[in-house]
Amino acid sequence: MTRADAVRNRRLLMDAATAEFAENGMDVSITRIATRAGVGKGTVFRHFDTKEQLLAEIFSDRLEELVAAGERLADSGDPAGALFDFMTIGTEIQARDRSFCQAAAALSRSEATVRTSRERLADVADALVTRAQRAGAVRSDVTGLDIVLLLSAASQAVLSISEEAPGLWQRYLALIFDGLRPTPAHPLPTPAPTRAQFTG
């Protein structure tokens, strides 16, 4: 097999696995992924030692997709709008990918690619929150990690009826964002999570 063939097969596997995990969650089999990619099961394990390693790479790609969106929004003239757009993109990613929240909970934080992407995501969220706070649009006791962790809230809230009402998460994201506004705000009952708790 040539290097070009190997690269092509890896891309086919990544695309097939991304689609299968998104549609069916983490329990999808390697056989099903290989069939969708049009390759043998052995080809999967030539590229990835385990299904978890494959999932980690896909999860990291999803995080990097959100990081890239945050970086594009970082220089927006509307800091509040930029933060809301970032949260919208993050929630939409999760709404269309059933494996995202499963992977966030299940993957070992020792996975280097995931850890690096988590760090980058936290940095981008911190920057967007800081800009929105300086503009007086977001309460002062909110952190970037608060935002990252809230991204799953709206999509998870409607998970049981998402097929019947695919855009309903937008309603709950708007409610969450209103809770970030500085007035009328009540003190939060516990401190924000630390970076160490988030990245492991």
Side-chain angles (χ1 to χ4, degrees), residues 68-90:
E71 289 174 343
R72 289 193 301 271
L73 291 163
D75 295 325
S76 168
D78 176 9
L83 180 59
F84 185 71
D85 287 348
F86 174 75
M87 294 179 71
T88 299
I89 293 166

Side-chain angles (χ1 to χ4, degrees), residues 91-128:
T91 304
E92 191 169 27
I93 287 172
Q94 296 182 56
R96 71 172 189 256
D97 186 342
R98 293 183 61 183
S99 70
F100 190 97
C101 290
Q102 293 175 317
L107 285 173
S108 169
R109 292 179 187 176
S110 64
E111 289 280 358
T113 56
V114 173
R115 184 181 178 89
T116 298
S117 295
R118 281 177 176 270
E119 290 277 5
R120 285 168 45 75
L121 182 60
D123 288 342
V124 166
D126 278 340
L128 291 170

Side-chain angles (χ1 to χ4, degrees), residues 36-57:
R36 185 165 185 158
V39 301
K41 187 176 176 180
T43 301
V44 179
F45 291 112
R46 280 195 290 276
H47 290 275
F48 303 97
D49 292 337
T50 64
K51 186 171 82 170
E52 288 69 29
Q53 189 182 79
L54 171 59
L55 181 63
E57 185 154 339

Side-chain angles (χ1 to χ4, degrees), residues 15-28:
D15 290 345
T18 298
E20 285 291 342
F21 286 135
E23 293 167 12
N24 302 301
M26 282 177 53
D27 292 335
V28 68

Side-chain angles (χ1 to χ4, degrees), residues 149-169:
L149 294 172
L150 279 170
L151 291 178
S152 64
S155 61
Q156 290 298 297
V158 298
L159 189 61
S160 64
I161 56 172
S162 58
E163 290 186 9
E164 292 81 3
L168 188 59
W169 59 266

